[in-house]
Amino acid sequence: MKTLELSTGLNGMETWVAVYRNRVQLQLSGRARTAISNAKSTVDTVIARGGAVYGINTGFGRMAGTVISDDGVEALQKNVVVTHAIGSGPVLSASETRLVMAMKIASLAQGHSGVRLELVDFMMEMFNRDLLPVIPSQGSVGASGDLTPLAHVAAAMIGEGMISVAGEAKPSADALASAGLRPLELQPKEGLAMLNGTQVSTALALTGAIEARQALDSAIIIGALTTEALLGSVAPFEDRIHQIRRQPGQIEVARRLRELTKGSEFRDKAITDGRVQDPYCLRCQPQVYGACLDLLDSVDVTLEREADAVTDNPIVFPETDEILSGGNFHAEPVAFAADIVAMAICELGSLSERRLAMMTDTSLSGLPPFLTDDPGLNSGFMSGQIAAAAMVAENRQKAHPASVDSVPTVVNYEDHVSMATHGARRLLTMVDTLNNILATELLAAVEGCDHRGLELSSPLREVKTLVRSQVDRMNSDRTFGPAYAAARGMVKSGQIADLGTGVL
């Protein structure tokens, strides 16, 4: 199993993709260990000076003006954890939970949180032994951080929550004992440091962005295959057209489409039998998908920064022995990123459905109605297009921006919140729906190409071969459910995207 080292500074998108996609082990760099210890020393120094310090010996939120006596300081940290661990709804998956834990470790490793090295090592031990806190997905407004879901992480560490062991949820005290671990006793600031932070919303947004990028790669390949089936023109993909607009994503998608169709027998046929101008669903693929690519690239930059960011409060500055209260826990950057990904997902599905509809319309496609040899007796892809239309509408409804729906909390003290967490949580469901749309188009595109009987380019021939290895011709009606299920598996597993590796 691969071991990843987390350090101060940016750990890089490759780290987070690896944590999400694979089981890995984590370790801290020497620099991170020093940074954590220095921040803890500052907390001790500030406590020794005396006086009220937010989050250490005061109440929280609206009760920040309440000073806690010395004998209540440790109880304060436990109380903030157990009272916030009230989440509801479906629990996060194992891969999502690992990503949350790794990002929290990375944030604490920056050396501005003031926790003990023992706490970070304990959390890393849980990660490496796959002792995963059970984290309900609902209950965070994305400001003061992801308080409720992160409280479930902290609760598991102190023996008060639930831990998933090999997929089975157990009381954390029992799970820790079985692993030979003693629950942590939280020290000053540690409870608040664990709860404040944007790690849950960031992890969920990042998983959505990762899967959306794979879906985009699939959509470009499937779009190229549909272009062939419809004898679409590749002239609109000519590099000069896109260079003078200067949009990098558009330039890149046009390049991929040219590479995917190069050397195909469909090209000569398109010149003699194609249209003077194609509908936008074919002609504007570089413009639409390129814009999606640019958006996903910008989202990656935001989330890569946020994954290693110090987003708890207050923040420790060891170089000056200061503890300052700020608002880095406000997840507005993540909320905007999640909203952007949701919009891109919608557009990917919308264009795919339009190409599918064009293939079923004999007046536009030049193919048999609904891609069936005996229309009337057979319905062919009629129901496929109907289902795709329904899924496009479903994703549009889910794409309403979460970031504009602030609801004040804590008697108007925390009066503007990001709603990043549920804005990010919807993304995987939306990508799953998008992949279902793309799978339908994939089947129709392969069927359309078979109707033409021409030779495809090498990369698209591989795609068609993969489909036909699992799905027979669909030009006559039969029970189509297994065919659709097989195509969904090809798209969702990344098999289609992987076949375009040479041009992507």
Side-chain angles (χ1 to χ4, degrees):
M1 191 180 299
K2 186 176 182 180
T3 298
L4 302 177
E5 183 175 85
L6 299 180
S7 189
T8 58
L10 289 178
N11 286 289
M13 185 60 73
E14 298 82 3
T15 294
W16 309 121
V17 173
V19 171
Y20 173 61
R21 292 288 192 201
N22 308 298
R23 281 282 290 114
V24 298
Q25 298 280 290
L26 299 178
Q27 65 182 28
L28 288 176
S29 71
R31 187 165 62 180
R33 290 183 171 277
T34 299
I36 293 167
S37 298
N38 288 344
K40 172 56 178 167
S41 295
T42 294
V43 170
D44 293 340
T45 298
V46 171
I47 291 174
R49 289 179 192 153
V53 183
Y54 175 71
I56 294 178
N57 59 1
T58 71
F60 306 112
R62 190 61 173 167
M63 296 180 288
T66 303
V67 178
I68 309 301
S69 62
D70 290 346
D71 59 1
V73 168
E74 290 188 12
L76 174 71
Q77 299 302 316
K78 179 178 179 179
N79 287 347
V80 74
V81 171
V82 296
T83 58
H84 280 80
I86 57 165
S88 56
V91 300
L92 301 191
S93 69
S95 56
E96 291 166 337
T97 302
R98 293 185 193 108
L99 196 52
V100 169
M101 295 177 73
M103 287 182 179
K104 175 54 82 173
I105 292 167
S107 179
L108 298 175
Q110 302 302 314
H112 292 282
S113 299
V115 302
R116 290 167 296 157
L117 185 57
E118 177 187 349
L119 180 147
V120 183
D121 279 337
F122 189 90
M123 193 173 184
M124 198 159 51
E125 180 75 6
M126 289 179 63
F127 180 98
N128 288 339
R129 297 173 70 170
D130 217 29
L131 301 172
L132 303 180
V134 175
I135 309 175
S137 59
Q138 293 179 322
S140 173
V141 296
S144 275
D146 294 315
L147 294 173
T148 294
L150 286 175
H152 285 275
V153 177
M157 296 169 65
I158 64 174
E160 295 287 345
M162 300 291 288
I163 290 177
S164 176
V165 182
E168 181 183 352
K170 299 180 178 180
S172 61
D174 296 341
L176 293 174
S178 296
L181 299 174
R182 294 183 60 185
L184 277 179
E185 294 183 5
L186 297 174
Q187 299 293 310
K189 195 182 179 301
E190 291 181 339
L192 193 58
M194 285 297 300
L195 268 60
N196 273 166
T198 63
Q199 287 78 37
V200 173
S201 52
T202 302
L204 295 177
L206 186 60
T207 58
I210 291 169
E211 297 295 350
R213 185 176 290 275
Q214 178 179 285
L216 171 59
D217 291 343
S218 299
I220 294 170
I221 293 168
I222 295 168
L225 194 62
T226 298
T227 300
E228 297 291 56
L230 290 169
L231 299 181
S233 173
V234 296
F237 307 152
E238 226 278 350
D239 186 52
R240 290 173 293 173
I241 294 172
H242 308 286
Q243 290 292 341
I244 61 174
R245 197 178 192 185
R246 301 184 181 90
Q247 298 291 352
Q250 179 177 324
I251 293 168
E252 169 61 14
V253 171
R255 182 196 68 80
R256 294 190 197 181
L257 290 168
R258 291 195 304 274
E259 290 297 318
L260 286 165
T261 55
K262 185 186 298 181
S264 161
E265 289 182 359
F266 285 77
R267 295 301 87 231
D268 291 337
K269 187 71 171 176
I271 292 172
T272 59
D273 293 12
R275 292 158 292 277
V276 175
Q277 276 197 332
D278 289 325
Y280 292 173
C281 64
L282 296 183
R283 198 188 339 158
C284 297
Q285 290 176 84
Q287 288 79 5
V288 177
Y289 285 168
C292 293
L293 178 56
D294 285 339
L295 287 178
L296 291 177
D297 285 344
S298 72
V299 163
D300 280 356
V301 172
T302 296
L303 297 180
E304 183 179 45
R305 293 174 184 148
E306 196 73 8
D308 289 297
V310 179
T311 54
D312 61 293
N313 191 59
I315 298 175
V316 180
F317 291 92
E319 59 272 19
T320 57
D321 275 343
E322 290 181 285
I323 299 178
L324 303 179
S325 183
N328 280 1
F329 49 68
H330 199 297
E332 195 80 350
V334 182
F336 283 158
D339 285 344
I340 287 169
V341 175
M343 288 189 291
I345 291 168
C346 271
E347 286 299 272
L348 293 173
S350 179
L351 208 64
S352 174
E353 184 277 329
R354 287 293 80 206
R355 291 192 301 263
L356 172 62
M358 185 177 174
M359 282 188 284
T360 62
D361 186 345
T362 189
S363 67
L364 290 173
S365 68
L367 294 166
F370 302 106
L371 302 174
T372 182
D373 291 338
D374 192 358
L377 174 64
N378 295 311
S379 296
F381 280 87
M382 182 187 296
S383 59
Q385 189 273 327
I386 294 170
M391 290 185 282
V392 167
E394 183 177 335
N395 267 356
R396 285 175 182 164
Q397 291 168 356
K398 289 176 179 167
H400 176 80
S403 57
V404 303
D405 273 340
S406 176
V407 177
T409 61
V410 192
V411 293
N412 285 313
Y413 193 68
E414 297 170 5
D415 57 352
H416 184 278
V417 299
S418 73
M419 298 299 182
T421 317
H422 71 260
R425 178 163 48 86
R426 67 187 155 163
L427 296 179
L428 282 184
T429 301
M430 292 181 68
V431 173
D432 193 59
T433 301
L434 166 60
N435 284 332
N436 292 339
I437 298 167
L438 292 172
T440 306
E441 184 194 355
L442 173 64
L443 291 175
V446 169
E447 191 62 37
C449 288
D450 276 339
H451 274 290
R452 301 287 186 192
L454 301 171
E455 191 69 20
L456 290 162
S457 66
S458 177
L460 294 184
R461 189 163 58 247
E462 289 185 45
V463 174
K464 180 172 173 285
T465 299
L466 172 64
V467 173
R468 284 290 174 251
S469 71
Q470 300 182 42
V471 178
D472 292 333
R473 289 286 306 271
M474 300 175 69
N475 52 328
S476 296
D477 284 1
R478 63 176 187 276
T479 301
F480 280 152
Y484 281 85
R488 290 176 197 131
M490 296 174 211
V491 175
K492 294 177 184 181
S493 67
Q495 285 179 282
I496 297 299
D498 288 346
L499 288 177
T501 300
V503 300
L504 299 182

